[in-house]
Amino acid sequence: MNSVEYKKKKIVCTQCPLGCKINVIYADADEIEIVEVKGNRCKRGLEFVKQEITDPLRVVVTSVKVEDGEISMASVRSDKPVPLRLMQDIMKILKETKVKAPVKRGDVVIQNILDTGSDIIATRSVNRKK
């Protein structure tokens, strides 16, 4: 007989400006089952908790190297949240990534990174050295 382990977690919801402090109790067995949720003031909080417990997502924000640019780095971000479990692998790829100047804000630096459906896009323009 498998015993079900119940876990408690406090999560601050980031889906709206309210920043609800949500307490969740869930069963961590073969599949995660949410037993109790308290503190959310809207349905978005409940959906956020479900996502955060099962497979949390984050937006990647960092910089990549620029070759022949007026500055040596350009800021980038993912256009959609990516699974937190892939963050180290994504950051490793971005650390090794070099783009050639000029770079325009909005340019896709890496398409569909690690098959997440998210593109890495430039958030700053960098001109070529003169």
Side-chain angles (χ1 to χ4, degrees):
M1 181 175 182
N2 289 347
S3 64
V4 175
E5 184 181 340
Y6 290 95
K7 295 184 177 182
K8 294 180 183 181
K9 194 168 189 177
K10 291 181 182 179
I11 297 173
V12 176
C13 181
T14 59
Q15 296 303 295
C16 75
L18 293 175
C20 296
K21 291 170 184 66
I22 303 173
N23 292 302
V24 61
I25 298 173
Y26 60 99
D28 194 2
D30 293 334
E31 286 190 30
I32 292 175
E33 177 190 345
I34 294 177
V35 177
E36 182 179 282
V37 176
K38 289 184 179 176
N40 60 303
R41 294 183 240 175
C42 67
K43 290 180 184 178
R44 290 186 291 176
L46 180 58
E47 293 305 313
F48 179 76
V49 165
K50 287 178 184 176
Q51 181 68 53
E52 198 63 18
I53 295 295
T54 56
D55 192 16
L57 301 174
R58 298 291 184 272
V59 172
V60 176
V61 179
T62 190
S63 299
V64 295
K65 296 173 187 148
V66 178
E67 293 179 341
D68 300 324
E70 288 180 335
I71 58 175
S72 62
M73 303 289 278
S75 57
V76 296
R77 69 170 175 84
S78 57
D79 66 348
K80 296 179 199 139
V82 298
L84 185 59
R85 62 187 154 73
L86 297 176
M87 192 63 71
Q88 281 188 321
D89 296 331
I90 291 170
M91 293 303 287
K92 187 176 179 182
I93 291 168
L94 293 172
K95 183 179 180 181
E96 301 302 319
T97 299
K98 294 179 185 174
V99 294
K100 209 147 181 57
V103 178
K104 300 262 188 277
R105 185 172 175 229
D107 284 355
V108 175
V109 174
I110 299 176
Q111 214 170 22
N112 191 24
I113 192 158
L114 293 180
D115 295 321
T116 59
S118 181
D119 295 338
I120 302 297
I121 59 170
T123 58
R124 178 185 183 145
S125 297
V126 177
N127 294 320
R128 188 183 317 260
K129 280 184 194 175
K130 293 182 182 183

